[in-house]
Amino acid sequence: GLRPDRVTFTMMVNVAAKSRDLQSAEGWFRAAQEAGIQADLVMYTALLDAAAKAGRADLADEWFQELLSQNLKPDSVSYTTLMEAHAKSGEMALAERYFDQIQSFHGLGRLSLESYSAIINGHARLGNLDSAAKWFGDMERNGLTATVVQFNQLLRACAESATDERQAFAEEVFKRMVERGISPSDGTLQALKWAVGAN
């Protein structure tokens, strides 16, 4: 019969990651190795994603170090996945350090909305409104145009923040979003409701 190849194993790791099944993702990864298939960057990134979705930043770090030990060169996608793992764990200093590594290794041209989103969303979860707004501003100054996703993250930062200015700031964010012709999503309206304290 046909033997599974790297593409098949990578697909199985991806499916497990999207199902938030870290154990299965690791199982498929190890099965590939036992079958004599050398993991590439795509397969390792799928494994990083599984660890990130499971809230296991420690495991994401281990897999990232293994990736480096295999002489694979991480790209902005693998770095962003690692950043998301640390941001979800509230480890913003580490997430930002990996962001800086994208800049130093790949240059500004490789930075993406997803990279900024990982940082903005991490600060939003913690209610760090000033930090979320700073990163949002940096993103736009570097030529990336915010979508409904990043605006929603900024509104979430307002909702989670304990500052007195959060209501006025949220209203300004929403106004800017509408002026740009960006259609609000259900998430926009929910975050705005929380931020302004509406019932």
Side-chain angles (χ1 to χ4, degrees), residues 7-73:
V7 173
T8 305
F9 279 111
T10 301
M11 184 178 71
M12 297 311 297
V13 175
N14 259 318
V15 168
K18 290 190 181 354
S19 302
R20 300 178 186 275
D21 187 347
L22 178 58
Q23 189 173 356
S24 289
E26 289 183 316
W28 282 110
F29 186 89
R30 292 305 184 204
Q33 291 182 317
E34 287 164 13
I37 293 168
Q38 188 168 4
D40 61 4
L41 183 61
V42 177
M43 193 185 290
Y44 270 107
T45 302
L47 200 55
L48 292 176
D49 187 42
K53 283 183 167 61
R56 292 292 307 274
D58 57 326
L59 268 182
D61 272 335
E62 284 181 28
W63 290 118
F64 191 76
Q65 290 307 314
E66 184 174 317
L67 175 165
L68 295 174
S69 75
Q70 297 300 312
N71 294 319
L72 293 170
K73 185 178 179 183

Side-chain angles (χ1 to χ4, degrees), residues 77-99:
V77 177
S78 49
Y79 269 116
T80 297
T81 307
L82 189 60
M83 283 159 43
E84 285 172 346
H86 285 287
K88 283 179 180 175
S89 299
E91 299 167 343
M92 294 312 300
L94 271 173
E96 290 179 12
R97 191 177 81 193
Y98 286 122
F99 184 97

Side-chain angles (χ1 to χ4, degrees), residues 75-129:
D75 60 8
S76 61
V77 177
S78 49
Y79 269 116
T80 297
T81 307
L82 189 60
M83 283 159 43
E84 285 172 346
H86 285 287
K88 283 179 180 175
S89 299
E91 299 167 343
M92 294 312 300
L94 271 173
E96 290 179 12
R97 191 177 81 193
Y98 286 122
F99 184 97
D100 290 340
Q101 286 183 17
I102 299 177
Q103 286 187 300
S104 59
F105 293 156
H106 297 294
L108 275 174
R110 293 295 186 94
L111 290 170
S112 65
L113 280 173
E114 290 76 19
S115 299
Y116 278 101
S117 277
I119 302 295
I120 296 166
N121 205 31
H123 283 299
R125 281 194 189 94
L126 297 172
N128 296 338
L129 180 53

Side-chain angles (χ1 to χ4, degrees), residues 151 155 167-182 184 188 192 196:
F151 273 106
L155 286 170
Q167 181 173 341
F169 192 89
E171 289 170 354
E172 182 58 35
V173 168
F174 185 71
K175 179 183 169 190
R176 196 191 320 175
M177 182 178 170
V178 172
E179 284 172 351
R180 291 191 186 182
I182 298 173
T188 308
L192 184 64
V196 302

